[in-house]
Amino acid sequence: MTIDWLPDRRIRRAILALGAAGLTVIAAGALLEALWLLGRGVWAVITAMVIELVYRP
């Protein structure tokens, strides 16, 4: 039996939300041909990946 620790679940949700938002902004930037939107989306995905790598309980 595994016990899910609540802060771990919150961090996981935050990572997934940040990654999904980043991918959405990347797609919008590609459709609108707006380089600044692409940059913001890429930085959001990078931030989600760094949080995932750093926060390993």
Side-chain angles (χ1 to χ4, degrees), residues 31-43:
L31 288 174
L32 297 173
E33 296 178 0
L35 195 56
W36 68 274
L37 274 177
L38 282 170
R40 295 262 175 139
V42 168
W43 277 110

Side-chain angles (χ1 to χ4, degrees), residues 5-47:
W5 196 43
L6 191 57
D8 289 341
R9 215 179 303 163
R10 287 183 191 159
I11 290 292
R12 189 67 158 155
R13 284 185 194 155
I15 291 169
L16 291 175
L18 188 59
L23 290 176
T24 304
V25 172
I26 289 172
L31 288 174
L32 297 173
E33 296 178 0
L35 195 56
W36 68 274
L37 274 177
L38 282 170
R40 295 262 175 139
V42 168
W43 277 110
V45 171
I46 289 171
T47 304

